[in-house]
Amino acid sequence: MGRLGKWIEPFPDGIYVRPADAWIDPSSPKPTALITHGHGDHARGGHGQVFATAETLAIMDVRYGEQAGTPVGYGETVRVGEVEVGFVPAGHVLGSAQIVLDHAGERVVVSGDYKRRPDPTCAPFVVTPCDIFITEATFGLPVFVHPDTGSEVDRLLHRLHAEPERCVLVGAYALGKAQRLIMELRGRGHDEPIYIHGALERLCRLYEELGVPLGELRLATGVPKEELKGRIILCPPGALNDRWSRRLPDPVTAMASGWMRIRQRARQRNVELPLVISDHADWDELTRTIREVAPTEVWITHGREEALRHWCMMHQIKARELNLVGYEDEDD
Ligand SMILES: [Zn+2]
Ligand SMILES: [Zn+2]
């Protein structure tokens, strides 16, 4: 047998699956694209045809207009060229999938983005044994160990109740993080209306249509200051410090992101209450996942590849870094 995975070719703008003549999460328009999930650095508009879960296609429809999409459910497979293509849950955001490729007696799993912690808005990550595991490494340094999500949400609620004359304004990515935070708050008994920036409205509504109940949400725009005292308001990170937020009653500025582990990042955004809540695997989750998947080779994308490659070598797993471009922190 020759080198494993000869039929998978990493290019700067995506992973090309030659016997399927298809690209995974390409950063430029391609005739055929297999998409792991709806974040902007993975799902882009303009492809000829798209294979993805129904939820991911619905998210892409909202963001880019109607897709020429073929929905593939979790656990189902579809034949693309000479490759059997399957989608299994990645636990990252609603509809997120690892893509399982079977060809020539080899199995390659492309994780996309993933995490192992419970997320009430999406199906949990499924360990899929394979020959080559292509993993992300956004938080691929031992220093990144995310705290318990529940304790971060408790800190938010505690702060809210401690200063009833203020509001807590939380920056959260529009796809995934915002809805997860809302569900986590509901799960901890916060039944009050939650106010949202207009930019979160369409995706919150879509989550509800797809069966994720978010409780009472109200648009924050145009609401009198008095009504917003003692309330939680969610906005995209970009709106935290802009003119929009100046009309709010003395907001406690918070942000929910894995990067809040780094104080400097919190300071850059004037975040008073950093909440370390991430939709990506931390170091322990990355290494645990590689152990459980037990692949012959690990290919690493998307982040701090070097430390994880070293860890693999120390554990007698062959590893290489793929240098893909265009993946950003949109979705941490
Ligand atoms: Zn990503
Ligand atoms: Zn993502």
Side-chain angles (χ1 to χ4, degrees):
M1 247 178 72
R3 183 171 64 82
L4 274 180
K6 271 188 304 208
W7 45 284
I8 304 276
E9 296 175 49
F11 286 94
D13 57 343
I15 293 167
Y16 181 58
V17 185
R18 195 173 2 94
D21 191 20
W23 293 76
I24 297 178
D25 292 354
S27 57
S28 55
K30 303 291 182 193
T32 302
L34 315 174
I35 304 295
T36 59
H37 67 285
H39 279 141
D41 54 336
H42 295 258
R44 292 169 199 250
H47 302 306
Q49 58 170 344
V50 175
F51 293 88
T53 63
E55 292 85 354
T56 295
L57 289 172
I59 291 163
M60 291 176 75
D61 285 349
V62 164
R63 295 188 138 184
Y64 307 117
E66 180 93 26
Q67 300 294 301
T70 303
V72 187
Y74 291 138
E76 289 175 19
T77 59
V78 49
R79 186 147 187 104
V80 183
E82 297 162 27
V83 181
E84 211 64 49
V85 179
F87 290 73
V88 299
H92 176 58
V93 297
L94 183 63
S96 66
Q98 308 169 71
I99 298 180
V100 182
L101 306 162
D102 282 296
H103 174 74
E106 294 175 1
R107 169 167 284 184
V108 177
V109 172
V110 182
S111 74
D113 295 340
Y114 66 97
K115 70 174 173 295
R116 304 299 303 273
R117 287 159 200 254
D119 178 338
T121 68
C122 65
F125 182 94
V126 171
V127 171
T128 306
C130 56
D131 300 296
I132 298 174
F133 184 53
I134 304 184
T135 181
E136 61 132 325
T138 304
F139 291 108
L141 285 175
V143 63
F144 289 114
V145 177
H146 307 320
D148 172 64
T149 308
S151 63
E152 295 299 282
V153 176
D154 285 345
R155 285 176 50 232
L156 164 54
L157 288 171
H158 186 261
R159 188 61 181 266
L160 180 76
H161 298 141
E163 295 187 87
E165 291 299 303
R166 301 178 73 182
C167 64
V168 179
L169 175 65
V170 191
Y173 288 101
L175 170 57
K177 188 64 61 64
Q179 297 79 19
R180 180 181 173 206
L181 186 57
I182 292 167
M183 282 285 273
E184 295 282 0
L185 285 161
R186 300 310 190 200
R188 294 185 105 70
H190 185 75
D191 296 326
E192 312 280 303
I194 293 174
Y195 291 76
I196 59 172
H197 184 285
L200 304 181
E201 193 188 9
R202 282 191 311 172
L203 285 168
C204 285
R205 206 185 294 141
L206 179 65
Y207 263 61
E208 295 217 284
E209 282 168 21
L210 294 173
V212 181
L214 300 176
E216 190 184 347
L217 302 181
R218 293 183 186 167
L219 278 177
T221 307
V223 175
K225 258 189 187 183
E226 201 56 35
E227 184 184 327
L228 293 174
K229 287 182 179 174
R231 303 294 196 180
I232 294 174
I233 304 166
L234 265 56
C235 69
L240 272 180
N241 299 306
D242 75 4
R243 271 177 50 205
W244 177 85
S245 65
R246 277 182 228 149
R247 303 172 308 99
L248 305 175
D250 190 17
V252 175
T253 301
M255 176 145 164
S257 160
W259 296 114
M260 290 299 101
R261 175 78 177 66
I262 301 175
R263 272 180 198 198
Q264 199 189 340
R265 293 243 188 168
R267 268 200 304 267
Q268 272 166 9
R269 290 188 184 269
N270 295 315
V271 171
E272 194 179 335
L273 180 66
L275 302 168
V276 186
I277 300 176
S278 177
D279 285 328
H280 290 275
D282 67 7
W283 176 257
D284 290 351
E285 292 168 70
L286 289 171
T287 54
R288 173 187 147 206
T289 301
I290 292 170
R291 254 191 300 247
E292 289 178 4
V293 172
T296 307
E297 289 185 23
V298 173
W299 296 2
I300 308 163
T301 71
H302 211 135
R304 283 124 205 94
E305 289 102 337
E306 174 61 32
L308 196 59
R309 187 173 63 82
H310 185 74
W311 182 91
C312 288
M313 280 163 46
M314 297 297 284
H315 290 77
Q316 279 79 49
I317 301 166
K318 200 170 159 190
R320 66 186 272 210
E321 298 168 33
L322 307 183
N323 294 304
L324 309 181
V325 297
Y327 293 102
E328 290 132 27
D329 302 335
E330 191 226 342
D331 57 332
D332 59 357

